[in-house]
Amino acid sequence: MFNARSAHLTRRGVLAAGGALGLGAVLAACGDDDAQSGGSADSKEAAKSGPWSFKDDRGETAKTDKVPANIVAFTGVAAALHDYGIEVKGVFGPTKTKDGKADVQAGDLDINKVTILGNEFGQFNVEKYATLAPDVLITTMFDDAGTLWYVPEESKDKIAALAQSVGISVYDRQLTGPLQRMMALAESLGADVKAAKVTAAKKRFEDASAKVRAAVKANPGIKVLAGSASQDIFYVSTSNLSADLEYYKALGVNFVEPPADVLKASGGWFENLSWENVDKYDADLIMMDNRSSAIQPADITEGTWKQLPAVKAGQVIARDPEPILSYDKCAPLLENLAEAIEKAKKVS
């Protein structure tokens, strides 16, 4: 997604846009090298001893004397690790909504049992982070420069001095890659990836992928638009760069694609449209950014939105631009997409 607006467009913008993209409504504006250590596969007992190391997607290897116990992670990463039975001490990123409930990116995390270091883009309480005596910080990356997602540029050096870090890339690759990497990381931290719950979730994901392929073949020609709404701008994401959209495209989904020249302003992630021009592209099905940083479809009051054929036909579904990287959480995304494509009527 990126752009979380150009890194700041880039970082912030993407965010916003919906492509991790829309990453935040502009948020306000393998082998031994990969999982090498006691925690990576031999046994749970080994996982409790050390040493531990993990080579991340920057090519950097985090090392500790023993398997990390005090883990701090971006909220979505913490949610993914939770699904594998690995708990964290602290989180940063969208965790709690204004009404005190768990943010969509928190998944099944008990947000009352973790220390929240920052709930919005640019927020990260370094002093509170230090009190957690962190062993490792884990987050995702939405560019090829190794930028750690939601780690503020102005305090990144102080943060880096306090603990090792691990970055899992979700940039310009299909969803299956980050899913595999997150599971390998969880395994290195002591997760039993052969547990029935994990293998069942992976099988469900694979079956759901097959359902998407079948739906596309059964209902050919359905055009899908990935969008994100803010007060003044409607973002149309390209299927390139975002891990979820790249994977859906590989399964046969036919996406609306903004031209390359207009994507340059966002680093290749999305096109900005005014609400007056929201009908620029024809679409039969619209996937809308479900993050708390974006305006949700039910709250969009623009008349031009309400007149879109897909909207009038009720063919609008949620999209997770920053999927929680566990098979348990990604399988339903595919199932919902498959059902929507299968039922969609050609309205464009």
Side-chain angles (χ1 to χ4, degrees):
M1 111 175 180
F2 189 64
N3 191 339
R5 260 203 186 238
S6 227
H8 278 114
L9 174 50
T10 279
R11 264 181 97 161
R12 204 156 166 142
V14 154
L15 244 186
L21 234 109
L23 270 174
V26 182
L27 266 189
C30 292
D32 291 339
D33 286 337
D34 289 336
Q36 174 183 12
S37 89
S40 98
D42 296 326
S43 70
K44 289 185 178 181
E45 195 58 38
K48 295 177 182 178
S49 62
W52 172 87
S53 68
F54 187 88
K55 186 176 181 181
D56 74 1
D57 293 335
R58 297 170 296 180
E60 298 182 11
T61 301
K63 297 180 180 180
T64 56
D65 292 337
K66 59 182 179 179
V67 176
N70 295 342
I71 301 170
V72 172
F74 173 69
T75 302
V77 170
L81 292 175
H82 173 81
D83 288 347
Y84 288 110
I86 304 299
E87 304 301 337
V88 307
K89 291 291 183 68
V91 297
F92 55 96
T95 306
K96 184 180 294 187
T97 61
K98 293 180 180 179
D99 60 3
K101 296 180 180 179
D103 189 274
V104 64
Q105 294 191 61
D108 294 330
L109 277 180
D110 185 339
I111 62 173
N112 296 313
K113 291 185 177 180
V114 294
T115 298
I116 300 175
L117 303 176
N119 199 57
E120 297 180 4
F121 195 81
Q123 292 182 349
F124 194 112
N125 190 319
V126 181
E127 291 72 22
K128 188 180 290 186
Y129 176 57
T131 65
L132 296 177
D135 296 318
V136 65
L137 177 149
I138 308 171
T139 187
T140 48
M141 300 182 296
F142 284 93
D143 60 28
D144 58 4
T147 304
L148 297 179
W149 190 232
Y150 266 75
V151 174
E153 182 70 20
E154 59 273 18
S155 55
K156 67 177 184 179
D157 292 339
K158 292 181 180 179
I159 294 169
L162 293 171
Q164 303 276 307
S165 64
V166 169
I168 299 297
S169 180
V170 291
Y171 175 73
D172 196 15
R173 61 202 63 202
Q174 294 181 26
L175 181 59
T176 45
L179 277 170
Q180 291 165 2
R181 293 290 286 141
M182 189 62 69
M183 185 166 70
L185 174 60
E187 184 180 21
S188 80
L189 294 169
D192 180 4
V193 299
K194 293 182 173 59
K197 178 182 178 181
V198 175
T199 56
K202 191 170 187 295
K203 175 65 163 54
R204 181 182 174 187
F205 176 87
E206 293 166 349
D207 289 346
S209 298
K211 289 178 181 178
V212 173
R213 288 186 185 277
V216 171
K217 291 181 179 179
N219 195 6
I222 296 299
K223 290 192 291 186
V224 182
L225 183 148
S228 182
S230 70
Q231 183 174 352
D232 300 316
I233 299 173
F234 183 79
Y235 304 90
V236 179
S237 299
T238 174
S239 63
N240 298 317
L241 304 185
S242 296
D244 63 327
L245 300 186
E246 285 203 13
Y247 184 55
Y248 302 158
K249 180 170 63 175
L251 296 175
V253 177
N254 179 24
F255 283 103
V256 169
E257 298 286 359
D261 59 334
V262 302
L263 293 171
K264 290 181 180 179
S266 68
W269 289 93
F270 54 86
E271 177 179 3
N272 297 352
L273 295 179
S274 65
W275 284 104
E276 289 76 12
N277 296 315
V278 72
D279 60 352
K280 179 178 179 178
Y281 298 106
D282 293 330
D284 305 299
L285 176 65
I286 301 176
M287 304 177 69
M288 289 294 289
D289 185 349
N290 71 345
R291 291 168 302 172
S292 56
S293 58
I295 298 175
Q296 297 307 299
D299 299 319
I300 298 175
T301 60
E302 300 290 342
T304 49
W305 162 261
K306 295 180 179 180
Q307 291 304 310
L308 293 177
V311 176
K312 293 173 71 174
Q315 295 177 175
V316 178
I317 63 172
R319 174 195 169 211
D320 289 44
E322 296 182 66
I324 293 172
L325 296 174
S326 71
Y327 292 102
D328 181 74
K329 294 298 181 292
C330 287
L333 307 184
L334 288 156
E335 292 169 345
N336 294 340
L337 178 59
E339 181 180 8
I341 292 175
E342 184 178 6
K343 293 181 177 180
K345 296 179 180 178
K346 189 72 178 172
V347 295
S348 64

mmCIF file with all atom_site columns, all heavy atoms in Angstrom, residues 201-217:
data_model
loop_
_atom_site.group_PDB
_atom_site.id
_atom_site.type_symbol
_atom_site.label_atom_id
_atom_site.label_alt_id
_atom_site.label_comp_id
_atom_site.label_asym_id
_atom_site.label_entity_id
_atom_site.label_seq_id
_atom_site.pdbx_PDB_ins_code
_atom_site.Cartn_x
_atom_site.Cartn_y
_atom_site.Cartn_z
_atom_site.occupancy
_atom_site.B_iso_or_equiv
_atom_site.pdbx_formal_charge
_atom_site.auth_seq_id
_atom_site.auth_comp_id
_atom_site.auth_asym_id
_atom_site.auth_atom_id
_atom_site.pdbx_PDB_model_num
ATOM 1   N N   . ALA A 1 201 ? -6.009  -24.038 9.258   1.00 0.00 ? 201 ALA A N   1
ATOM 2   C CA  . ALA A 1 201 ? -6.127  -22.680 8.731   1.00 0.00 ? 201 ALA A CA  1
ATOM 3   C C   . ALA A 1 201 ? -5.443  -22.568 7.373   1.00 0.00 ? 201 ALA A C   1
ATOM 4   O O   . ALA A 1 201 ? -5.955  -21.911 6.454   1.00 0.00 ? 201 ALA A O   1
ATOM 5   C CB  . ALA A 1 201 ? -5.523  -21.687 9.718   1.00 0.00 ? 201 ALA A CB  1
ATOM 6   N N   . LYS A 1 202 ? -4.297  -23.203 7.241   1.00 0.00 ? 202 LYS A N   1
ATOM 7   C CA  . LYS A 1 202 ? -3.574  -23.168 5.966   1.00 0.00 ? 202 LYS A CA  1
ATOM 8   C C   . LYS A 1 202 ? -4.379  -23.883 4.881   1.00 0.00 ? 202 LYS A C   1
ATOM 9   O O   . LYS A 1 202 ? -4.454  -23.417 3.736   1.00 0.00 ? 202 LYS A O   1
ATOM 10  C CB  . LYS A 1 202 ? -2.195  -23.793 6.109   1.00 0.00 ? 202 LYS A CB  1
ATOM 11  C CG  . LYS A 1 202 ? -1.280  -23.579 4.913   1.00 0.00 ? 202 LYS A CG  1
ATOM 12  C CD  . LYS A 1 202 ? 0.137   -24.021 5.237   1.00 0.00 ? 202 LYS A CD  1
ATOM 13  C CE  . LYS A 1 202 ? 1.097   -23.653 4.108   1.00 0.00 ? 202 LYS A CE  1
ATOM 14  N NZ  . LYS A 1 202 ? 0.822   -24.349 2.858   1.00 0.00 ? 202 LYS A NZ  1
ATOM 15  N N   . LYS A 1 203 ? -4.991  -25.006 5.238   1.00 0.00 ? 203 LYS A N   1
ATOM 16  C CA  . LYS A 1 203 ? -5.820  -25.737 4.275   1.00 0.00 ? 203 LYS A CA  1
ATOM 17  C C   . LYS A 1 203 ? -7.027  -24.893 3.872   1.00 0.00 ? 203 LYS A C   1
ATOM 18  O O   . LYS A 1 203 ? -7.420  -24.839 2.690   1.00 0.00 ? 203 LYS A O   1
ATOM 19  C CB  . LYS A 1 203 ? -6.286  -27.045 4.909   1.00 0.00 ? 203 LYS A CB  1
ATOM 20  C CG  . LYS A 1 203 ? -7.265  -27.868 4.048   1.00 0.00 ? 203 LYS A CG  1
ATOM 21  C CD  . LYS A 1 203 ? -6.608  -28.353 2.777   1.00 0.00 ? 203 LYS A CD  1
ATOM 22  C CE  . LYS A 1 203 ? -7.405  -29.495 2.114   1.00 0.00 ? 203 LYS A CE  1
ATOM 23  N NZ  . LYS A 1 203 ? -8.814  -29.158 1.872   1.00 0.00 ? 203 LYS A NZ  1
ATOM 24  N N   . ARG A 1 204 ? -7.614  -24.200 4.830   1.00 0.00 ? 204 ARG A N   1
ATOM 25  C CA  . ARG A 1 204 ? -8.753  -23.335 4.532   1.00 0.00 ? 204 ARG A CA  1
ATOM 26  C C   . ARG A 1 204 ? -8.339  -22.213 3.578   1.00 0.00 ? 204 ARG A C   1
ATOM 27  O O   . ARG A 1 204 ? -9.084  -21.867 2.655   1.00 0.00 ? 204 ARG A O   1
ATOM 28  C CB  . ARG A 1 204 ? -9.311  -22.745 5.825   1.00 0.00 ? 204 ARG A CB  1
ATOM 29  C CG  . ARG A 1 204 ? -10.531 -21.850 5.627   1.00 0.00 ? 204 ARG A CG  1
ATOM 30  C CD  . ARG A 1 204 ? -10.995 -21.253 6.947   1.00 0.00 ? 204 ARG A CD  1
ATOM 31  N NE  . ARG A 1 204 ? -12.080 -20.287 6.732   1.00 0.00 ? 204 ARG A NE  1
ATOM 32  C CZ  . ARG A 1 204 ? -12.597 -19.506 7.683   1.00 0.00 ? 204 ARG A CZ  1
ATOM 33  N NH1 . ARG A 1 204 ? -12.131 -19.590 8.931   1.00 0.00 ? 204 ARG A NH1 1
ATOM 34  N NH2 . ARG A 1 204 ? -13.570 -18.654 7.395   1.00 0.00 ? 204 ARG A NH2 1
ATOM 35  N N   . PHE A 1 205 ? -7.153  -21.659 3.796   1.00 0.00 ? 205 PHE A N   1
ATOM 36  C CA  . PHE A 1 205 ? -6.639  -20.606 2.918   1.00 0.00 ? 205 PHE A CA  1
ATOM 37  C C   . PHE A 1 205 ? -6.466  -21.134 1.496   1.00 0.00 ? 205 PHE A C   1
ATOM 38  O O   . PHE A 1 205 ? -6.844  -20.471 0.518   1.00 0.00 ? 205 PHE A O   1
ATOM 39  C CB  . PHE A 1 205 ? -5.304  -20.096 3.456   1.00 0.00 ? 205 PHE A CB  1
ATOM 40  C CG  . PHE A 1 205 ? -4.634  -19.076 2.581   1.00 0.00 ? 205 PHE A CG  1
ATOM 41  C CD1 . PHE A 1 205 ? -4.936  -17.727 2.702   1.00 0.00 ? 205 PHE A CD1 1
ATOM 42  C CD2 . PHE A 1 205 ? -3.693  -19.462 1.629   1.00 0.00 ? 205 PHE A CD2 1
ATOM 43  C CE1 . PHE A 1 205 ? -4.320  -16.779 1.888   1.00 0.00 ? 205 PHE A CE1 1
ATOM 44  C CE2 . PHE A 1 205 ? -3.078  -18.529 0.810   1.00 0.00 ? 205 PHE A CE2 1
ATOM 45  C CZ  . PHE A 1 205 ? -3.387  -17.180 0.939   1.00 0.00 ? 205 PHE A CZ  1
ATOM 46  N N   . GLU A 1 206 ? -5.884  -22.303 1.375   1.00 0.00 ? 206 GLU A N   1
ATOM 47  C CA  . GLU A 1 206 ? -5.666  -22.892 0.051   1.00 0.00 ? 206 GLU A CA  1
ATOM 48  C C   . GLU A 1 206 ? -6.996  -23.189 -0.643  1.00 0.00 ? 206 GLU A C   1
ATOM 49  O O   . GLU A 1 206 ? -7.150  -22.951 -1.847  1.00 0.00 ? 206 GLU A O   1
ATOM 50  C CB  . GLU A 1 206 ? -4.831  -24.167 0.189   1.00 0.00 ? 206 GLU A CB  1
ATOM 51  C CG  . GLU A 1 206 ? -3.397  -23.881 0.653   1.00 0.00 ? 206 GLU A CG  1
ATOM 52  C CD  . GLU A 1 206 ? -2.666  -25.117 1.124   1.00 0.00 ? 206 GLU A CD  1
ATOM 53  O OE1 . GLU A 1 206 ? -3.331  -26.180 1.287   1.00 0.00 ? 206 GLU A OE1 1
ATOM 54  O OE2 . GLU A 1 206 ? -1.437  -25.046 1.327   1.00 0.00 ? 206 GLU A OE2 1
ATOM 55  N N   . ASP A 1 207 ? -7.949  -23.686 0.116   1.00 0.00 ? 207 ASP A N   1
ATOM 56  C CA  . ASP A 1 207 ? -9.276  -23.963 -0.457  1.00 0.00 ? 207 ASP A CA  1
ATOM 57  C C   . ASP A 1 207 ? -9.958  -22.668 -0.883  1.00 0.00 ? 207 ASP A C   1
ATOM 58  O O   . ASP A 1 207 ? -10.623 -22.611 -1.925  1.00 0.00 ? 207 ASP A O   1
ATOM 59  C CB  . ASP A 1 207 ? -10.149 -24.691 0.570   1.00 0.00 ? 207 ASP A CB  1
ATOM 60  C CG  . ASP A 1 207 ? -9.696  -26.124 0.819   1.00 0.00 ? 207 ASP A CG  1
ATOM 61  O OD1 . ASP A 1 207 ? -8.892  -26.641 0.021   1.00 0.00 ? 207 ASP A OD1 1
ATOM 62  O OD2 . ASP A 1 207 ? -10.142 -26.714 1.822   1.00 0.00 ? 207 ASP A OD2 1
ATOM 63  N N   . ALA A 1 208 ? -9.784  -21.630 -0.080  1.00 0.00 ? 208 ALA A N   1
ATOM 64  C CA  . ALA A 1 208 ? -10.398 -20.341 -0.405  1.00 0.00 ? 208 ALA A CA  1
ATOM 65  C C   . ALA A 1 208 ? -9.776  -19.747 -1.663  1.00 0.00 ? 208 ALA A C   1
ATOM 66  O O   . ALA A 1 208 ? -10.468 -19.116 -2.474  1.00 0.00 ? 208 ALA A O   1
ATOM 67  C CB  . ALA A 1 208 ? -10.243 -19.382 0.771   1.00 0.00 ? 208 ALA A CB  1
ATOM 68  N N   . SER A 1 209 ? -8.482  -19.945 -1.837  1.00 0.00 ? 209 SER A N   1
ATOM 69  C CA  . SER A 1 209 ? -7.819  -19.479 -3.058  1.00 0.00 ? 209 SER A CA  1
ATOM 70  C C   . SER A 1 209 ? -8.413  -20.162 -4.278  1.00 0.00 ? 209 SER A C   1
ATOM 71  O O   . SER A 1 209 ? -8.649  -19.524 -5.319  1.00 0.00 ? 209 SER A O   1
ATOM 72  C CB  . SER A 1 209 ? -6.309  -19.750 -2.975  1.00 0.00 ? 209 SER A CB  1
ATOM 73  O OG  . SER A 1 209 ? -5.716  -19.049 -1.901  1.00 0.00 ? 209 SER A OG  1
ATOM 74  N N   . ALA A 1 210 ? -8.666  -21.447 -4.147  1.00 0.00 ? 210 ALA A N   1
ATOM 75  C CA  . ALA A 1 210 ? -9.269  -22.197 -5.247  1.00 0.00 ? 210 ALA A CA  1
ATOM 76  C C   . ALA A 1 210 ? -10.681 -21.686 -5.535  1.00 0.00 ? 210 ALA A C   1
ATOM 77  O O   . ALA A 1 210 ? -11.123 -21.651 -6.697  1.00 0.00 ? 210 ALA A O   1
ATOM 78  C CB  . ALA A 1 210 ? -9.299  -23.684 -4.912  1.00 0.00 ? 210 ALA A CB  1
ATOM 79  N N   . LYS A 1 211 ? -11.380 -21.260 -4.490  1.00 0.00 ? 211 LYS A N   1
ATOM 80  C CA  . LYS A 1 211 ? -12.736 -20.737 -4.674  1.00 0.00 ? 211 LYS A CA  1
ATOM 81  C C   . LYS A 1 211 ? -12.715 -19.429 -5.471  1.00 0.00 ? 211 LYS A C   1
ATOM 82  O O   . LYS A 1 211 ? -13.612 -19.176 -6.277  1.00 0.00 ? 211 LYS A O   1
ATOM 83  C CB  . LYS A 1 211 ? -13.398 -20.508 -3.311  1.00 0.00 ? 211 LYS A CB  1
ATOM 84  C CG  . LYS A 1 211 ? -13.762 -21.792 -2.567  1.00 0.00 ? 211 LYS A CG  1
ATOM 85  C CD  . LYS A 1 211 ? -14.374 -21.468 -1.212  1.00 0.00 ? 211 LYS A CD  1
ATOM 86  C CE  . LYS A 1 211 ? -14.715 -22.754 -0.460  1.00 0.00 ? 211 LYS A CE  1
ATOM 87  N NZ  . LYS A 1 211 ? -15.265 -22.469 0.895   1.00 0.00 ? 211 LYS A NZ  1
ATOM 88  N N   . VAL A 1 212 ? -11.707 -18.606 -5.241  1.00 0.00 ? 212 VAL A N   1
ATOM 89  C CA  . VAL A 1 212 ? -11.599 -17.368 -5.997  1.00 0.00 ? 212 VAL A CA  1
ATOM 90  C C   . VAL A 1 212 ? -11.356 -17.671 -7.471  1.00 0.00 ? 212 VAL A C   1
ATOM 91  O O   . VAL A 1 212 ? -12.000 -17.097 -8.364  1.00 0.00 ? 212 VAL A O   1
ATOM 92  C CB  . VAL A 1 212 ? -10.467 -16.468 -5.451  1.00 0.00 ? 212 VAL A CB  1
ATOM 93  C CG1 . VAL A 1 212 ? -10.252 -15.255 -6.358  1.00 0.00 ? 212 VAL A CG1 1
ATOM 94  C CG2 . VAL A 1 212 ? -10.792 -16.003 -4.037  1.00 0.00 ? 212 VAL A CG2 1
ATOM 95  N N   . ARG A 1 213 ? -10.444 -18.594 -7.738  1.00 0.00 ? 213 ARG A N   1
ATOM 96  C CA  . ARG A 1 213 ? -10.188 -18.983 -9.131  1.00 0.00 ? 213 ARG A CA  1
ATOM 97  C C   . ARG A 1 213 ? -11.471 -19.482 -9.801  1.00 0.00 ? 213 ARG A C   1
ATOM 98  O O   . ARG A 1 213 ? -11.789 -19.106 -10.934 1.00 0.00 ? 213 ARG A O   1
ATOM 99  C CB  . ARG A 1 213 ? -9.135  -20.090 -9.181  1.00 0.00 ? 213 ARG A CB  1
ATOM 100 C CG  . ARG A 1 213 ? -7.717  -19.659 -8.861  1.00 0.00 ? 213 ARG A CG  1
ATOM 101 C CD  . ARG A 1 213 ? -6.761  -20.817 -9.091  1.00 0.00 ? 213 ARG A CD  1
ATOM 102 N NE  . ARG A 1 213 ? -5.406  -20.526 -8.696  1.00 0.00 ? 213 ARG A NE  1
ATOM 103 C CZ  . ARG A 1 213 ? -4.522  -19.873 -9.436  1.00 0.00 ? 213 ARG A CZ  1
ATOM 104 N NH1 . ARG A 1 213 ? -4.883  -19.421 -10.631 1.00 0.00 ? 213 ARG A NH1 1
ATOM 105 N NH2 . ARG A 1 213 ? -3.301  -19.659 -8.992  1.00 0.00 ? 213 ARG A NH2 1
ATOM 106 N N   . ALA A 1 214 ? -12.198 -20.296 -9.089  1.00 0.00 ? 214 ALA A N   1
ATOM 107 C CA  . ALA A 1 214 ? -13.422 -20.878 -9.640  1.00 0.00 ? 214 ALA A CA  1
ATOM 108 C C   . ALA A 1 214 ? -14.480 -19.806 -9.872  1.00 0.00 ? 214 ALA A C   1
ATOM 109 O O   . ALA A 1 214 ? -15.198 -19.823 -10.883 1.00 0.00 ? 214 ALA A O   1
ATOM 110 C CB  . ALA A 1 214 ? -13.952 -21.954 -8.694  1.00 0.00 ? 214 ALA A CB  1
ATOM 111 N N   . ALA A 1 215 ? -14.578 -18.848 -8.946  1.00 0.00 ? 215 ALA A N   1
ATOM 112 C CA  . ALA A 1 215 ? -15.573 -17.787 -9.077  1.00 0.00 ? 215 ALA A CA  1
ATOM 113 C C   . ALA A 1 215 ? -15.293 -16.916 -10.295 1.00 0.00 ? 215 ALA A C   1
ATOM 114 O O   . ALA A 1 215 ? -16.210 -16.524 -11.024 1.00 0.00 ? 215 ALA A O   1
ATOM 115 C CB  . ALA A 1 215 ? -15.593 -16.933 -7.812  1.00 0.00 ? 215 ALA A CB  1
ATOM 116 N N   . VAL A 1 216 ? -14.020 -16.611 -10.520 1.00 0.00 ? 216 VAL A N   1
ATOM 117 C CA  . VAL A 1 216 ? -13.638 -15.797 -11.674 1.00 0.00 ? 216 VAL A CA  1
ATOM 118 C C   . VAL A 1 216 ? -13.994 -16.513 -12.978 1.00 0.00 ? 216 VAL A C   1
ATOM 119 O O   . VAL A 1 216 ? -14.492 -15.898 -13.926 1.00 0.00 ? 216 VAL A O   1
ATOM 120 C CB  . VAL A 1 216 ? -12.126 -15.476 -11.623 1.00 0.00 ? 216 VAL A CB  1
ATOM 121 C CG1 . VAL A 1 216 ? -11.686 -14.822 -12.929 1.00 0.00 ? 216 VAL A CG1 1
ATOM 122 C CG2 . VAL A 1 216 ? -11.809 -14.565 -10.440 1.00 0.00 ? 216 VAL A CG2 1
ATOM 123 N N   . LYS A 1 217 ? -13.758 -17.812 -12.999 1.00 0.00 ? 217 LYS A N   1
ATOM 124 C CA  . LYS A 1 217 ? -14.072 -18.584 -14.207 1.00 0.00 ? 217 LYS A CA  1
ATOM 125 C C   . LYS A 1 217 ? -15.578 -18.711 -14.409 1.00 0.00 ? 217 LYS A C   1
ATOM 126 O O   . LYS A 1 217 ? -16.072 -18.693 -15.541 1.00 0.00 ? 217 LYS A O   1
ATOM 127 C CB  . LYS A 1 217 ? -13.434 -19.969 -14.111 1.00 0.00 ? 217 LYS A CB  1
ATOM 128 C CG  . LYS A 1 217 ? -11.913 -19.952 -14.201 1.00 0.00 ? 217 LYS A CG  1
ATOM 129 C CD  . LYS A 1 217 ? -11.339 -21.358 -14.125 1.00 0.00 ? 217 LYS A CD  1
ATOM 130 C CE  . LYS A 1 217 ? -9.811  -21.332 -14.239 1.00 0.00 ? 217 LYS A CE  1
ATOM 131 N NZ  . LYS A 1 217 ? -9.239  -22.696 -14.154 1.00 0.00 ? 217 LYS A NZ  1
#
